[in-house]
Amino acid sequence: MNQRQTVAEQKPSATRLGKNGDGAERHDAIYRSICDAIIEHRLKPGARLREDALSEVFGVSRTGIRKILQRLALEQLVTLTPRRGASVTRPTADEAKDVFDARQMIECGLMPEVARRITAADVRELRDMARREREALKAGEQSTAIKLSAAFHERLARLSGNATLAEFVGRLCSRSSLILAVYGSAGHLGCESHDHDDLIGFLEAGNGERAQAFMSRHLKAIEASLSIVEEEEEAPDLHSIFGA
């Protein structure tokens, strides 16, 4: 299962990541660390991500950091601006609407095929993911719940068998996670805690049309819960955020 490390894991600090050069595995670990910091709102929208500071924090070359920032920019978690460098993307109301419109078109459209292909093992896996998301919310672990919800939706998309659309859903879920982290309500993801279980029930029954309609209502409820208020730009303390 490819969840692109969106499920809750121990966050790797710069110290735990070590200082062992610019290998691909190390770049992946730094990418995940920065991604988590953005989704968990430790790095806030608009925060500048200076290459020299990140290079010092993680002990890799500026070239390596530049590649990681470019990767994050492809997922639109980071914005690259000429002469100004990188900063955490600041979602706008229009961008949030675009993201959820795209999710409506793609995720809802995939539900009939998911209902046709889903297996008993898939159902067990999805119910476990939904359970962990509920437990995280109940424990007040908002960022963990957001990541688990994104992982759930990406996993659903992969069950359709269309790897290209599933990859796109994964990117949309990453952007949605940032939007939810910034503009969502504490202790709530904009939907009922049992929504994912209800959706699984329709899929398990092979009812693709009901699953499609339910997914549409589910996504609309999340979007409707957002309260978009602009925040002031700030310069983050990267050493403090990444535990260096």
Side-chain angles (χ1 to χ4, degrees), residues 3 49 107 125 137 141 146 172 180 201 210 216 227 237:
Q3 296 177 10
L49 301 173
E107 291 188 72
E125 178 186 5
L137 270 179
E141 299 171 354
I146 288 172
L172 288 172
L180 274 168
R210 290 286 299 276
S216 179
S227 177
D237 183 344

Side-chain angles (χ1 to χ4, degrees), residues 226-240:
L226 300 175
S227 177
I228 299 181
V229 178
E230 297 293 337
E231 296 185 0
E232 293 297 321
E233 185 175 311
E234 63 177 48
D237 183 344
L238 298 176
H239 285 275
S240 173

